[in-house]
Amino acid sequence: MKTFPIGGVHPSENKLSCGKAIEVLPLPDVVAIPLAQHIGAPAVAKVAKGDKVLTGQLIAEAGSFMSANIHSPVSGTVTAVDLVPNGQGIRQMMITIKREGDEWAEGIDRSETLVRECSLPASEIVAKIKDAGIVGMGGATFPTHVKLSVPPGKKAEALIINGVECEPYLTSDHRTMLEHGEELLVGVTILMKALDVKSAYVGIENNKPDAIAHLRKLAAQYPGVEIVPLTVKYPQGGEKQLIAAIMGRQVPPPPALPIDVGAVVCNASTTYAVYRAVQKNMPLIERVVTITGKGLKEPKNLLARMGTPIETLIAAAGGLPEDAGKVINGGPMMGRAMVNLASPVTKGCSGITVMSGRDAVRREASQCIKCAKCVAACPMGLEPYLLSKMTQKKGWETLEAQMITSCIECGCCQSTCPAYLPLLDWIRLGKQTVMGIIRQRAAAAAPKK
Amino acid sequence: MANKLLVAPSPHVQTSQSTARIMRDVVIALVPALIISTVFFGWSVLCVTALSVASCVVFEYLIQRFLVGGKSTVGNWSAVVTGVLLAFNLPASIPWWIVVIGAFVAIAIAKMTFGGLGKNPFNPALVGRVFLLIAYPVQMTSFPAPVNEAFDAWSGATPLAAVKHGAAAGMFDVQDLLLGNMPGSLGEVAALALLVGFAYLLWRRVITWHIPVTILATMAVFAFVVALSRGAGEAALWQFPLFHILAGGAMLGAIFMATDYSTSPMTVRGGVIFAVGIGLITMCIRLWGAYPEGMSFAILIMNSTVPLINKYVKPKRFGVK
């Protein structure tokens, strides 16, 4: 069984909702759509207060190449384009729409009919993906059309579909692979065409044997597509880890990108969205969100429109339990703790994990016993104990030399520390500082215009 | 909203291990050897161990309370580990006051002076033992003999001392060496019991196999080469290496002393270098040094190289050729 070469941990999988079919959540009455819900420049609002909008209509346009379009997930009236607190309580520009019915914009095919053939040239495929506002739905929200625009001088050799879902609890990719396998594989062939590659690999962790078997059966009809079962080990779904596991190639340290080793990685749910965008003209206005947690009455996978308040999803899963201590946007390894449950579902929201109060409290940190478990766990081959210590000592030069910028913030180090040290808290601080120093240096070295 | 939600950066999960649990596991792993030792040397084994543990815990508590300040750390069981390991390095017949002095040196000088658990450069139990070996050489090398005819001729000398003075390694029964039916420090004799403890530590993921296996392999290879160069017969070619990894403190040192977290390197590669060094130095002292046993010295010498190893031996970085 294939896996990545260095480090990794195996947290309890807790895939509570893996057997639950995707349910369609009733349409929300009010949606809030953040203009910045992807990596890169925020989108620019194309509507104003009082405007009528249709479902699937463009409401905000990509602010630059590295940005993404945003479409209205409902039909109704724009009630505000204003600052609204997001999940972390930080005020952010959002378009608020009051829903009236569900009237769709023209040209969108909402049928379930499978459209297998795609005769568009690569450039038009990429344009359609860009128009539909597709971004990485695994959580990183990197605009997909940017990934597909291979820089001159570089060549994609293989497409990798990330169906790993190594985060504990989350099952949205798993359900999508099971229930939309055929569409997903058509999406794979579309992406292969866009990249002009002959081979694609769908990496799936071995704790999803049903998805592996299902896609293997279907993939027989799709030449060049191979389903690759992977060892259950976190962070198997990290982009660099996945490339290393499947292709045996390691992406060099930043600023190198996956394309430098000939790989383009695309998440499974994103691939399904690509199918819908290219074959059905469907913009990215809904997604599968796993609502999960041990205290929840009914963990489930919900198909929700973007902008739906998170609390509506939690209510659909039986409501917030009495002992809830933490609500995480994402999974427990890399998700972000939320303070504002009225905040909306966004393109990168693959799941909501509710933790009980007892599990949510960090245990008191003691001193480092040099057990080296963090070093053994680091999938990037770094020394977390050293990076954390040197950040506290403000040793920026040492940190740069010790490759702190390679950190992918997966959290293996901190989750494995028997002294409960906040290793990643410190490393994030050090990494940001060092990256700032590197940017300043580059700016100073650049010739003045 | 009724619930008050907690907010913290990811990750939101913590390990089920803890410092105290790890240290407790080390103590549990030492119990089989303690039992075997008690069988061979009698109740004095338990008395020495209890006194050593109590002294270590009390010294750590007092120093923390009156000199260092801060929260008491005796709850993390590390002083208990030091106490048991120190006792394991003493003869069962040792006078009680020497045990207390050893515990003081281990905890006060080798551990707390440097800031306590995780910060000491040298293995505290070994510093205690070596101090006692130099300060009280007579008491430290008078080993009570277990009831066993094979050792009569050597009047309580350890197998290593016997070999040093000309005995053939092959005269010792492998079964006796494995079971611990020989004179020696109270915890080092039962190789088999120590191996059981090793298996437990591996199972509980307290340590990895790299350091112990590398030390023992280095010693075995070294002994084999020496035996070969001496033109030993076929039997001696395997008896000599086997004897060296079973006799003396080889097992105890390799499994429990050299793997001490804060005094061993942070990387696997560093650990292997560290372990090869220990194996080589131990064999050099055993074969050509003044002492019959060199494990303690070898570990302490290699402890001193750990900061250097940590500085220059880095993990294999992802994406770097």
Side-chain angles (χ1 to χ4, degrees):
Chain A
M1 188 91 48
K2 287 184 170 180
T3 189
F4 57 93
I6 308 171
V9 294
H10 187 187
S12 308
E13 294 165 34
N14 289 316
K15 303 279 193 186
L16 309 173
S17 53
C18 67
K20 304 284 181 64
I22 298 168
E23 273 177 49
V24 180
L25 187 75
L27 296 183
D29 296 329
V30 179
V31 292
I33 316 294
L35 293 179
Q37 48 177 306
H38 45 259
I39 286 177
V44 181
K46 288 284 147 191
V47 291
K49 187 178 172 181
D51 287 0
K52 294 276 181 196
V53 294
L54 298 171
T55 309
Q57 179 187 329
L58 183 76
I59 53 172
E61 208 170 44
S64 72
F65 178 64
M66 179 69 113
S67 182
N69 287 344
I70 295 170
H71 302 76
S72 178
V74 293
S75 62
T77 312
V78 176
T79 54
V81 180
D82 203 358
L83 293 169
V84 177
N86 69 4
Q88 280 67 46
I90 298 160
R91 281 149 55 90
Q92 210 185 332
M93 278 307 275
M94 294 195 199
I95 299 171
T96 310
I97 301 166
K98 191 170 179 306
R99 182 178 68 87
E100 291 142 12
D102 190 26
E103 282 179 55
W104 284 66
E106 267 177 48
I108 299 172
D109 176 2
R110 294 165 62 196
S111 72
E112 293 288 316
T113 334
L114 182 74
V115 184
R116 198 171 275 169
E117 296 310 316
C118 172
S119 54
L120 298 174
S123 60
E124 272 181 54
I125 291 174
V126 176
K128 276 190 120 172
I129 289 169
K130 182 173 190 291
D131 287 346
I134 312 278
V135 302
M137 291 164 75
T141 66
F142 191 90
T144 303
H145 68 269
V146 179
K147 262 188 193 176
L148 298 176
S149 310
V150 177
K154 292 181 179 161
K155 175 83 185 83
E157 290 168 50
L159 169 69
I160 294 177
I161 304 302
N162 189 345
V164 175
E165 207 159 46
C166 60
E167 269 278 359
Y169 290 96
L170 304 187
T171 57
S172 55
D173 287 342
H174 183 185
R175 292 313 307 184
T176 303
M177 289 188 285
L178 275 181
E179 298 178 37
H180 300 288
E182 193 91 35
E183 294 95 322
L184 191 147
L185 288 173
V186 176
V188 175
T189 57
I190 293 170
L191 289 171
M192 286 165 76
K193 199 169 171 194
L195 288 165
D196 187 27
V197 295
K198 294 279 170 289
S199 49
Y201 305 93
V202 183
I204 305 174
E205 259 186 1
N206 204 30
N207 57 0
K208 296 178 263 295
D210 49 353
I212 294 169
H214 179 61
L215 289 184
R216 266 213 175 130
K217 212 173 85 198
L218 297 176
Q221 297 170 37
Y222 295 86
V225 183
E226 189 188 327
I227 312 299
V228 186
L230 300 164
T231 308
V232 182
K233 188 164 75 163
Y234 179 88
Q236 192 77 260
E239 194 169 54
K240 293 174 180 175
Q241 279 63 38
L242 185 57
I243 296 168
I246 290 182
M247 297 172 74
R249 297 180 189 173
Q250 296 184 8
V251 179
L257 296 168
I259 192 67
D260 291 313
V261 295
V264 173
V265 181
C266 192
N267 161 271
S269 293
T270 315
T271 309
Y272 174 52
V274 163
Y275 161 81
R276 296 180 83 191
V278 177
Q279 304 293 71
K280 304 277 196 171
N281 293 321
M282 174 70 75
L284 185 52
I285 58 167
E286 60 184 4
R287 69 157 300 148
V288 180
V289 183
T290 302
I291 307 293
T292 182
K294 283 181 185 158
L296 278 184
K297 276 206 192 73
E298 227 186 318
K300 53 172 68 168
N301 302 291
L302 290 168
L303 180 66
R305 295 280 171 91
M306 301 296 173
T308 308
I310 302 284
E311 55 198 4
T312 310
L313 280 76
I314 295 175
L320 204 61
E322 276 291 302
D323 69 338
K326 207 186 248 179
V327 177
I328 302 161
N329 185 339
M333 290 304 287
M334 287 191 82
R336 301 186 74 184
M338 302 179 63
V339 291
N340 175 20
L341 301 186
S343 63
V345 169
T346 58
K347 292 176 181 177
C349 176
S350 49
I352 301 292
T353 311
V354 178
M355 288 177 83
S356 78
R358 198 165 36 87
D359 294 342
V361 183
R362 278 190 180 184
R363 279 165 277 178
E364 193 188 348
S366 51
Q367 60 186 356
C368 175
I369 57 170
K370 307 276 160 54
C371 67
K373 288 184 192 298
C374 58
V375 180
C378 181
M380 297 307 290
L382 306 176
E383 295 153 286
Y385 80 100
L386 182 67
L387 301 180
S388 161
K389 195 171 88 183
M390 289 314 291
T391 301
Q392 293 169 62
K393 294 187 172 186
K394 299 187 167 63
W396 313 127
E397 279 173 26
T398 309
L399 287 169
E400 190 179 347
Q402 298 300 323
M403 303 179 62
I404 194 170
T405 54
S406 286
C407 173
I408 57 168
E409 303 183 25
C410 62
C412 285
C413 53
Q414 192 168 320
S415 73
T416 200
C417 178
Y420 312 134
L421 294 171
L423 295 169
L424 185 53
D425 295 3
W426 286 111
I427 294 172
R428 279 201 185 95
L429 188 66
K431 180 180 160 186
Q432 274 158 27
T433 310
V434 170
M435 278 166 49
I437 292 169
I438 293 171
R439 273 195 302 271
Q440 270 178 14
R441 199 193 302 142
K448 294 221 168 62
K449 281 180 186 168
Chain B
M1 190 166 35
N3 295 64
K4 283 194 173 157
L5 295 176
L6 286 165
V7 180
S10 64
H12 306 285
V13 281
Q14 289 180 311
T15 176
S16 55
Q17 275 191 330
S18 70
T19 303
R21 206 185 99 170
I22 287 170
M23 296 300 160
R24 211 158 45 227
D25 276 340
V26 176
V27 174
I28 292 169
L30 287 164
V31 167
L34 187 66
I35 293 170
I36 298 295
S37 185
T38 310
V39 169
F40 283 118
F41 298 116
W43 292 106
S44 60
V45 165
L46 293 182
C47 296
V48 170
T49 308
L51 178 62
S52 174
V53 169
S55 310
C56 284
V57 172
V58 168
F59 283 132
E60 178 155 327
Y61 175 78
L62 293 177
I63 291 166
Q64 189 97 52
R65 177 86 174 71
F66 294 107
L67 289 175
V68 182
K71 210 173 153 236
S72 174
T73 52
V74 295
N76 67 23
W77 283 68
S78 66
V80 178
V81 171
T82 304
V84 178
L85 286 177
L86 175 66
F88 272 34
N89 278 288
L90 305 175
S93 57
I94 195 95
W96 67 268
W97 52 274
I98 292 186
V99 178
V100 177
I101 291 173
F104 179 79
V105 172
I107 293 293
I109 295 175
K111 186 178 176 190
M112 299 311 282
T113 310
F114 294 96
L117 180 63
K119 294 180 179 161
N120 49 300
F122 296 100
N123 187 313
L126 283 181
V127 173
R129 170 194 149 86
V130 167
F131 174 84
L132 296 180
L133 191 62
I134 294 165
Y136 309 100
V138 177
Q139 291 91 330
M140 283 294 285
T141 52
S142 311
F143 298 100
V147 189
N148 187 332
E149 289 156 19
F151 296 101
D152 285 354
W154 303 99
S155 60
T158 63
L160 279 173
V163 169
K164 187 117 211 164
H165 294 110
M171 70 163 286
F172 297 97
D173 188 10
V174 171
Q175 195 182 322
D176 283 338
L177 292 172
L178 275 172
L179 290 178
N181 194 357
M182 59 183 172
S185 298
L186 63 85
E188 71 182 20
V189 292
L192 203 58
L194 292 168
L195 284 171
V196 170
F198 183 34
Y200 179 76
L201 291 182
L202 290 179
W203 174 59
R204 299 284 283 178
R205 293 169 186 252
V206 172
I207 58 170
T208 59
W209 57 270
H210 304 89
I211 291 178
V213 170
T214 310
I215 291 176
L216 297 174
T218 306
M219 290 174 69
V221 169
F222 196 103
F224 179 81
V225 171
V226 168
L228 206 61
S229 71
R230 286 175 179 172
E234 214 167 285
L237 273 186
W238 64 265
Q239 276 167 353
F240 197 57
L242 195 60
F243 169 77
H244 272 288
I245 61 171
L246 292 178
M251 286 284 170
L252 181 64
I255 298 167
F256 291 96
M257 307 294 230
T259 53
D260 173 40
Y261 285 153
S262 53
T263 61
S264 61
M266 298 294 279
T267 59
V268 171
R269 280 193 288 179
V272 168
I273 295 170
F274 171 80
V276 168
I278 290 172
L280 291 179
I281 297 171
T282 303
M283 289 308 293
C284 288
I285 295 174
R286 281 185 177 187
L287 294 174
W288 302 300
Y291 286 88
E293 171 61 305
M295 201 72 195
S296 310
F297 299 110
I299 294 175
L300 288 175
I301 290 168
M302 289 313 289
N303 282 166
S304 70
T305 68
V306 167
L308 200 66
I309 292 175
N310 282 340
K311 182 164 181 182
Y312 290 106
V313 181
K314 291 295 170 185
K316 170 90 188 67
R317 310 283 200 203
F318 187 97
V320 179
K321 291 240 168 62

